Amino acid sequence: LHFLFLLISHGARIAEKARRMSSVFRNLLVFVTIGMTFTLFYLWKDAQVGLDELHEKLDIQRRRFEEKLGESRSSLEKTAKESSQMKAAKEEEIENMKSNADDLERRLNAVQHERDEESTKCKDEIDSFNADKAVLVERVRGLEDEMKATKSSANANAKIAGAKEALLSLGQALYSNAPASFERIDDDVDFRKAQTCPGSVGGRTSSENDAEENVTSFSVQRHEVFVNPGRPMDESKEKQADLNATTTTTASSSSSLKETGEGIDYSHMAMISKLPARALWKWIMVWQAAQVKEGEPDQHFMCAYSDDAKTWTKAIRMPIGKQRGAIPWAPVLRLSGETLTLFFAESSTCMKPGGGVAAIDGADIPRWAPGGDIRFATTRDGFRWSKRVELLTQSYNTGIPKVIANPAIQISQGDHKGTLILPYWEEVPRMSTKREGCPSPDATPSAGALISKDNGRTWKPSESSLTDSETWLIEGTMAELSNSSVLHLFRTSVGEIYKSLSDDGGRTWTKASSTGLPNPNSKIHLLRLADGRLALAYNHDRKYRANLYVAISEDDGEKWHLAAIVEKGSESSMYAYPTMVEDECKLYVAYSIMTRRDWKEIQERSAHEPNGGGIYVAEIDLVSGILRGEEAILLNPAAENIEVVEEEMGLSNGSAIAL
């Protein structure tokens, strides 16, 4: 374009010069000029088209760039908005966390303050009690020293008896609200605590029998602990009893009824144990009691104390198991060092309605079904009891109530030395229909064990449980065998005692099988004696709660021989639910006696005939008081010999009593 402009602007000058040129040159110049003009035109045209395309492409690129820029701006705005929202949410969350932390700190401070106050209160109570106890103990020691110095025991004994009577006059044991206590275990502790009883193995020798012609081949001393005073009298009978109180007999009966308050016609599940050394007595007996029948809302624990297991104090109430308005079941005692632990079951949700089918639902008033949660409390003096500690809830494993009946054992040797094992079982309430808070009547119960590796601080159920399609397996009792495995025996409903074994500290158990020993569907107790033998207290009958025997095995429970007869059969009484404890070559057997009556008389409160019976303890000398030789009959022979042995022992079907 610039060249064309120059050509035009200088056209006159060029034309002038052209006139001076020859025509040929002039024509050539014209032709070249025209050609260059057209060439420049087409070049301009092509350049214009290229410029248009370039502008179009630039417009397209510009639009794309603007679109991407817009998207980027939107994305940035969205990201900024989200970041703002997230920041606001985080700030809100932080504020909430700060608020929750402040609230938690306030609650923790409140709880800590409450615990400090409670701890201070408990400490004050404990200090007060210890001070009172120290004064009392010091007084007793002073009296004992005075007795020794003056050799005049009558006055000191009277003062000591007065101090004990002062405690009993409270009418019940005390709930101290203190935490449970535990004994520490050293790694080298010896759990067996073997004692030597001269001549104990095998019982009395023939020479001793010959030398003591006037002594029977066995001797069992029986002592009364508590006699049921009878059912509560209605108002008219109580007035009549007061009017007739002029005679000694009536006055004594009336006094007995008033002393116990509501009246007691049911005493059962007795458990005996020695007390810690600091206690004022040596022995304690605990059992469950009620006005008429087990499971009634008034059911509670009672206890009595003794220095010699022969003469017992009056019975007093215990504060265990009534804190929630429920009732306690099955007291089980275990003494470890200076701590006595009371295990028990406590009803929690399942109550029988009353009425309905009498043999299943109960009688005229609602009653708690046996068992519930398993708990424990501890004492160091036998009189003041700690707070309850929960071991196992009823809700565990389908909500069937949990029950216990026999003491825990502690493995003394092997890989599981020191392990505590407490037998328990599940009991489905006998009801005609399903009720709220109760398991289904067709639920499947099982038996198992609670295991502790830290001397009772924490517990957990065994990994396996036991069931049997033909019978229930309840009221289990255990003993350690010579190889450190555990033997577990059961009450059944098929007329025989069943057994199971564990070689892993109670975690797993073999299938239950028969021992060959009879059982009338009643509690038994197994105990390992200090000399390594096994003792078994049980009813030697398949149908009736009679013939309360103690048997001894010298081969880890394979063969059982009769050692002592605690009670024989009776037409009017039942002897059952034994629990044993060994002390200084003596074997003590606690048990209950009940009058045989039909179901209606037992269940209905309108039947005012007293039950009679009560709680008793038998004392057996392990040196001279057990059977031997021909008298020590083998109690679990082969099946073909069972009828012969029963005939020899007089155990015909009609020889005992009915439930």
Side-chain angles (χ1 to χ4, degrees):
L1 293 177
H2 180 67
F3 179 79
L4 183 61
F5 175 76
L6 292 176
L7 183 63
I8 296 172
S9 62
H10 296 284
R13 187 181 300 173
I14 294 171
E16 181 65 24
K17 289 180 178 182
R19 281 192 296 268
R20 296 174 185 176
M21 296 178 182
S22 62
S23 59
V24 176
F25 181 76
R26 186 174 58 247
N27 292 334
L28 179 61
L29 182 60
V30 171
F31 177 78
V32 171
T33 302
I34 294 171
M36 289 180 64
T37 301
F38 278 102
T39 300
L40 291 173
F41 175 78
Y42 281 110
L43 287 175
W44 174 80
K45 191 68 175 177
D46 289 339
Q48 188 66 36
V49 172
L51 287 174
D52 292 340
E53 291 178 354
L54 181 60
H55 281 295
E56 184 177 355
K57 289 180 180 180
L58 288 175
D59 289 339
I60 293 173
Q61 292 294 333
R62 180 178 56 78
R63 286 195 297 271
R64 289 179 179 176
F65 177 74
E66 289 176 351
E67 290 176 357
K68 289 183 179 181
L69 182 61
E71 291 177 356
S72 298
R73 286 176 178 173
S74 300
S75 177
L76 288 173
E77 291 175 355
K78 183 178 180 181
T79 302
K81 184 177 180 181
E82 290 178 352
S83 298
S84 176
Q85 292 176 348
M86 289 179 62
K87 182 179 179 181
K90 289 293 183 182
E91 291 176 351
E92 183 179 359
E93 184 178 358
I94 291 173
E95 290 299 324
N96 291 335
M97 291 178 64
K98 289 181 178 179
S99 177
N100 292 336
D102 294 339
D103 183 59
L104 181 60
E105 184 177 3
R106 287 192 296 271
R107 291 170 60 188
L108 287 174
N109 291 335
V111 171
Q112 185 64 41
H113 181 69
E114 182 180 351
R115 290 185 61 184
D116 291 342
E117 289 183 346
E118 185 177 353
S119 177
T120 302
K121 181 179 178 181
C122 290
K123 185 177 182 301
D124 293 341
E125 291 180 355
I126 293 173
D127 291 342
S128 176
F129 172 75
N130 288 335
D132 295 341
K133 179 70 178 296
V135 172
L136 183 60
V137 171
E138 189 63 30
R139 182 182 176 189
V140 171
R141 288 177 179 172
L143 292 173
E144 290 176 346
D145 294 340
E146 180 183 345
M147 178 182 66
K148 293 178 181 179
T150 61
K151 295 184 180 180
S152 176
S153 61
N155 187 35
N157 288 338
K159 290 182 178 180
I160 294 173
K164 293 179 178 179
E165 187 65 28
L167 286 178
L168 294 175
S169 66
L170 295 175
Q172 66 175 16
L174 302 178
Y175 175 66
S176 68
N177 201 38
S181 55
F182 304 91
E183 296 293 316
R184 188 177 69 86
I185 296 182
D186 296 325
D187 293 336
D188 58 349
V189 67
D190 182 8
F191 294 103
R192 286 191 181 275
K193 298 180 181 178
Q195 61 186 29
T196 302
C197 297
S200 62
V201 178
R204 297 169 58 89
T205 65
S206 58
S207 60
E208 289 173 331
N209 286 329
D210 295 339
E212 302 178 30
E213 296 180 357
N214 295 327
V215 179
T216 59
S217 60
F218 62 92
S219 176
V220 177
Q221 299 182 40
R222 302 170 185 84
H223 309 290
E224 175 187 296
V225 179
F226 178 78
V227 177
N228 294 331
R231 299 186 176 199
M233 294 186 298
D234 58 30
E235 186 175 352
S236 61
K237 289 190 176 183
E238 190 170 359
K239 290 180 179 179
Q240 187 63 34
D242 290 338
L243 292 174
N244 296 335
T246 54
T247 65
T248 302
T249 302
T250 307
S252 175
S253 175
S254 177
S255 174
S256 175
L257 284 171
K258 290 180 179 179
E259 191 173 295
T260 56
E262 303 121 313
I264 300 295
D265 199 31
Y266 167 80
S267 297
H268 203 33
M269 302 286 289
M271 182 67 56
I272 185 173
S273 173
K274 293 180 67 176
L275 284 165
R278 68 179 66 182
L280 291 178
W281 293 273
K282 181 179 180 181
W283 295 94
I284 185 173
M285 184 83 74
V286 182
W287 65 93
Q288 65 187 40
Q291 291 184 356
V292 177
K293 181 65 174 141
E294 70 176 22
E296 291 197 347
D298 74 297
Q299 183 169 300
H300 56 279
F301 285 164
M302 299 187 72
C303 68
Y305 302 92
S306 176
D307 289 321
D308 56 9
K310 299 177 181 179
T311 303
W312 294 81
T313 67
K314 69 178 182 180
I316 61 175
R317 283 177 172 262
M318 298 184 69
I320 304 298
K322 299 291 287 183
Q323 285 86 341
R324 298 187 305 166
I327 63 171
W329 294 84
V332 170
L333 297 172
R334 179 180 181 270
L335 179 63
S336 175
E338 289 301 307
T339 300
L340 179 66
T341 302
L342 172 63
F343 300 92
F344 61 97
E346 184 181 69
S347 294
S348 56
T349 61
C350 185
M351 177 174 279
K352 296 183 178 182
V357 182
I360 298 178
D361 296 318
D364 47 358
I365 67 170
R367 288 185 172 92
W368 288 99
D373 303 328
I374 297 179
R375 303 175 181 272
F376 74 86
T378 63
T379 181
R380 289 183 176 270
D381 58 19
F383 207 82
R384 288 168 58 95
W385 294 89
S386 72
K387 291 181 178 180
R388 303 167 305 147
V389 179
E390 185 177 86
L391 297 188
L392 188 66
T393 64
Q394 176 179 321
S395 60
Y396 172 78
N397 190 25
T398 70
I400 302 176
K402 312 299 185 288
V403 204
I404 58 176
N406 281 303
I409 66 167
Q410 192 159 31
I411 298 178
S412 63
Q413 60 181 345
D415 296 337
H416 304 284
K417 179 180 178 181
T419 298
L420 275 172
I421 311 176
L422 176 66
Y424 81 96
W425 78 96
E426 298 173 335
E427 186 165 334
V428 177
R430 291 176 34 172
M431 293 186 293
S432 56
T433 58
K434 172 76 168 66
R435 284 182 60 83
E436 183 179 357
C438 301
S440 172
D442 58 359
T444 301
S446 63
L450 290 171
I451 302 172
S452 175
K453 299 286 188 178
D454 53 9
N455 205 34
R457 292 179 182 273
T458 58
W459 298 78
K460 66 177 182 178
S462 54
E463 294 179 6
S464 66
S465 57
L466 293 165
T467 60
D468 192 290
S469 59
E470 302 296 328
T471 178
W472 63 4
L473 302 171
I474 69 170
E475 295 175 350
T477 179
M478 298 178 180
E480 180 186 3
L481 302 182
S482 59
N483 62 355
S484 77
S485 61
V486 179
L487 174 63
H488 197 172
L489 302 183
F490 299 96
R491 163 186 170 179
T492 73
S493 59
V494 293
E496 291 185 341
I497 296 174
Y498 273 35
K499 68 177 180 179
S500 177
L501 292 169
S502 173
D503 59 4
D504 56 8
R507 289 174 50 248
T508 60
W509 298 89
T510 62
K511 179 178 174 58
S513 60
S514 174
T515 62
L517 291 171
N519 178 253
N521 205 4
S522 186
K523 177 184 177 292
I524 59 178
H525 183 219
L526 178 65
L527 177 68
R528 185 180 183 87
L529 301 177
D531 59 15
R533 294 178 297 168
L534 298 181
L536 177 65
Y538 72 108
N539 294 101
H540 192 82
D541 202 287
R542 285 180 169 78
K543 187 175 181 181
Y544 305 114
R545 291 184 176 180
N547 302 305
L548 185 56
Y549 288 178
V550 172
I552 285 182
S553 172
E554 298 182 0
D555 56 4
D556 282 345
E558 294 297 325
K559 295 180 182 179
W560 293 93
H561 292 268
L562 178 63
I565 299 176
V566 179
E567 297 280 2
K568 293 185 177 180
S570 170
E571 293 296 328
S572 60
S573 298
M574 298 183 293
Y575 310 93
Y577 276 68
T579 302
M580 300 178 289
V581 64
E582 181 185 11
D583 181 59
E584 297 179 354
C585 302
K586 301 279 188 180
L587 187 66
Y588 296 93
V589 185
Y591 61 100
S592 56
I593 299 178
M594 290 187 179
T595 302
R596 182 175 67 86
R597 294 179 296 172
D598 63 37
W599 183 263
K600 181 177 180 180
E601 288 179 336
I602 293 175
Q603 293 290 89
E604 292 190 358
R605 300 174 64 85
S606 59
H608 288 283
E609 292 298 326
N611 176 49
I615 304 300
Y616 294 79
V617 61
E619 178 186 341
I620 303 171
D621 191 322
L622 290 174
V623 178
S624 60
I626 61 174
L627 299 173
R628 65 158 299 168
E630 294 181 356
E631 292 178 319
I633 301 171
L634 179 62
L635 298 173
N636 61 329
E640 60 268 17
N641 296 326
I642 289 179
E643 295 182 0
V644 176
V645 174
E646 289 184 345
E647 184 177 351
E648 291 177 357
M649 300 180 66
L651 298 180
S652 62
N653 290 337
S655 64
I657 55 174
L659 286 173

